[in-house]
Amino acid sequence: MSEPRHRIADAVADVTESDAVAALTALGLQQDRRQPAQKAPRTPLPSPGVPFDVSSDVEWV
């Protein structure tokens, strides 16, 4: 690990979560910035019994 990373790791090693929240809030972080995770779009599966033109060749090693 590089020297700057060591210094950062040492600086935050003893910081509690509440201390980190207080410091970030003092720096202007808004607590309401968390946004719910968005669902990733998914490709629908074909209906059962309907033939489709997808094939896959898999070789198990």
Side-chain angles (χ1 to χ4, degrees):
M1 193 181 299
S2 68
E3 181 60 28
R5 289 184 184 166
H6 278 290
R7 286 186 278 153
I8 292 169
D10 290 342
V12 298
D14 297 326
V15 176
T16 63
E17 183 177 354
S18 60
D19 289 342
V21 168
L24 292 172
T25 302
L27 292 172
L29 177 71
Q30 297 176 1
Q31 292 181 357
D32 296 340
R33 292 199 128 177
R34 288 187 186 179
Q35 297 192 5
Q38 296 178 354
K39 290 186 177 180
R42 294 184 176 197
T43 304
L45 294 173
S47 300
V50 176
F52 53 95
D53 295 331
V54 177
S55 65
S56 177
D57 295 326
V58 178
E59 180 182 340
W60 295 95
V61 180

